Amino acid sequence: MDWPEINVETQTLILPVFEELGIEVAMLREDLIDSEISGNKWRKLKYNVLKAEEKAVDTLLTFGGAFSNHIAATAAAGKRFGLKTVGVIRGEDDDTNPTLQKAKADGMELYFVSRTDYRDKNLEEFKAHLRDRFGFYHAVPEGGSNFLGVNGCMETLKPDHEKYNYICGACGTGTMMSGIILSLKPHQKALCFPVLKGDFMHDEINNHLLQFLQDEVAVEDYQDQFEVINTYHGGGYAKVNAELVDFIQWFKAETNITLDAVYTSKLVRGVIEEAKKGKFQRGDKVLIIHSGGVQGNLGMNTRLGLNLPVS
Ligand SMILES: *Cc1c(COP(=O)(O)O)cnc(C)c1O
């Protein structure tokens, strides 16, 4: 199988705050890679799909919450590249959930499990149960957060992006930013903005780096090339307040770019706040990765009665 190579545009963000500070800020439109297999999920799935082909299994099995971008992307990738897909979903089916309904329409078999079973999904007993039930498959962890996922994300930055000295991205599992960090040039630094509350992302990223580099000393050498900025999760994962909704609408009006409510809006807010606080120097060039996820706004709108842009 040939995995399509797609080059997306890098869009300069013309905002007064950046102009006043004398910094150039642009957004890498990974959200435009594909309308269904969006953003970093495209990159994280690439080598997983190719691995399934190499192992000659016809099924991808993966895990996620009910509004997961990764579930949506895996279902669409299965349909696109001719693989069966199974989604092990935390919680129950819901006819009003657009992510789950779309996944089903794309042919994904959904297997709903309790929160306890979901938490224990890596236990041998549960894995054996899945093997019995679904046969041979290539398993992709929640969020596509394996070695192959990191590998795919190492292809995000292109030679054109070498002019940027800061690369900013949102983190859920830290897989994408680990791939980014591993692909940086020496003059570049990654700023990682977790959307989960807590202080574990630095370790998470180091674990991904170690898996890739297989050498503690080599991981040490990367420590100056990234920073985790933990203060922009906005109350925690998928927490949305009126201010964030206003921000998404404001950004759409200014740039015509739709941000998602879980990841990229919190990222961009973080970058703007950090810029105001003097993080960057005049002349710095900052690249923000739009990692996709806009499908999630549909679910936010139905669940919370919001009016977020969805395309
Ligand atoms: C999944 C996702 C992320 C998080 O990526 P990780 O590799 O898990 O850190 C970021 N942005 C969007 C839009 C996503 O869907």
Side-chain angles (χ1 to χ4, degrees):
M1 174 196 312
D2 282 331
W3 185 269
E5 189 49 51
I6 291 165
N7 283 312
V8 292
E9 64 180 300
T10 303
Q11 181 177 340
T12 304
L13 300 180
I14 313 284
L15 295 174
V17 46
F18 298 144
E19 287 185 350
E20 275 161 34
L21 292 164
I23 57 177
E24 183 183 327
V25 182
M27 182 162 268
L28 177 58
R29 300 294 309 274
E30 294 278 285
D31 57 311
L32 299 179
I33 289 180
D34 188 274
S35 61
E36 298 189 307
I37 313 169
S38 162
N40 70 17
K41 302 304 181 280
W42 171 272
R43 305 222 174 260
K44 293 197 268 189
L45 282 166
K46 174 178 177 179
Y47 290 109
N48 279 293
V49 167
L50 294 174
K51 177 60 80 180
E53 187 187 39
E54 183 189 318
K55 293 200 289 193
V57 296
D58 64 356
T59 305
L60 287 180
L61 178 141
T62 194
F63 307 86
F67 294 92
S68 160
N69 295 328
H70 169 68
I71 288 294
T74 305
K79 185 177 72 172
R80 187 86 51 88
F81 300 109
L83 290 165
K84 288 188 227 165
T85 54
V86 176
V88 179
I89 310 292
R90 180 183 58 227
E92 281 152 31
D93 200 0
D94 173 0
D95 287 345
T96 67
N97 177 326
T99 305
L100 295 180
Q101 298 317 313
K102 176 68 168 61
K104 275 195 253 185
D106 284 344
M108 181 178 258
E109 180 174 351
L110 300 181
Y111 182 49
F112 293 94
V113 300
S114 68
R115 284 179 180 272
T116 322
D117 279 347
Y118 192 85
R119 199 187 51 225
D120 294 341
K121 60 187 176 301
N122 293 324
L123 295 183
E124 284 312 320
E125 191 188 330
F126 188 66
K127 283 197 215 167
H129 168 69
L130 292 177
R131 295 272 173 212
D132 281 349
R133 193 173 170 120
F134 298 108
F136 288 108
Y137 52 75
H138 173 67
V140 183
E142 183 177 47
S145 74
N146 57 6
F147 183 84
L148 298 167
V150 171
N151 241 297
C153 293
M154 288 177 70
E155 298 172 358
T156 309
L157 296 180
K158 309 285 185 224
D160 277 358
H161 302 124
E162 284 174 22
K163 70 172 188 168
Y164 296 99
N165 56 325
Y166 284 100
I167 313 292
C168 307
C171 294
T173 64
T175 309
M176 172 182 76
M177 287 312 282
S178 299
I180 296 287
I181 291 162
L182 287 164
S183 68
L184 291 178
K185 300 292 175 202
H187 66 281
Q188 296 178 308
K189 185 167 186 176
L191 301 183
C192 309
F193 292 81
V195 300
L196 293 101
K197 224 192 266 189
D199 208 8
F200 51 85
M201 193 52 66
H202 202 106
D203 289 343
E204 263 334 81
I205 290 174
N206 277 340
N207 287 337
H208 286 297
L209 298 182
L210 182 60
Q211 237 192 67
F212 190 86
L213 298 164
Q214 298 286 316
D215 177 357
E216 304 267 1
V217 177
V219 173
E220 256 332 288
D221 284 344
Y222 272 95
Q223 300 307 300
D224 289 340
Q225 273 199 289
F226 72 99
E227 193 179 326
V228 174
I229 302 175
N230 257 326
T231 39
Y232 297 102
H233 53 69
Y237 184 75
K239 292 279 189 293
V240 179
N241 59 23
E243 207 189 322
L244 190 69
V245 174
D246 286 349
F247 179 79
I248 292 170
Q249 271 148 2
W250 168 80
F251 193 77
K252 173 86 181 173
E254 293 289 324
T255 65
N256 204 27
I257 298 173
T258 301
L259 300 174
D260 81 297
V262 179
Y263 295 97
T264 54
S265 52
K266 292 179 180 181
L267 162 69
V268 176
R269 220 155 62 151
V271 174
I272 292 175
E273 288 309 309
E274 286 299 304
K276 285 184 187 161
K277 287 192 336 201
K279 181 90 192 162
F280 308 109
Q281 314 228 314
R282 203 157 272 280
D284 273 346
K285 297 190 192 326
V286 180
L287 184 68
I288 304 176
I289 300 172
H290 192 320
S291 41
V294 173
Q295 73 87 27
N297 286 3
L298 277 172
M300 286 283 176
N301 285 346
T302 46
R303 200 160 37 130
L304 303 174
L306 302 176
N307 195 17
L308 298 170
V310 293
S311 64

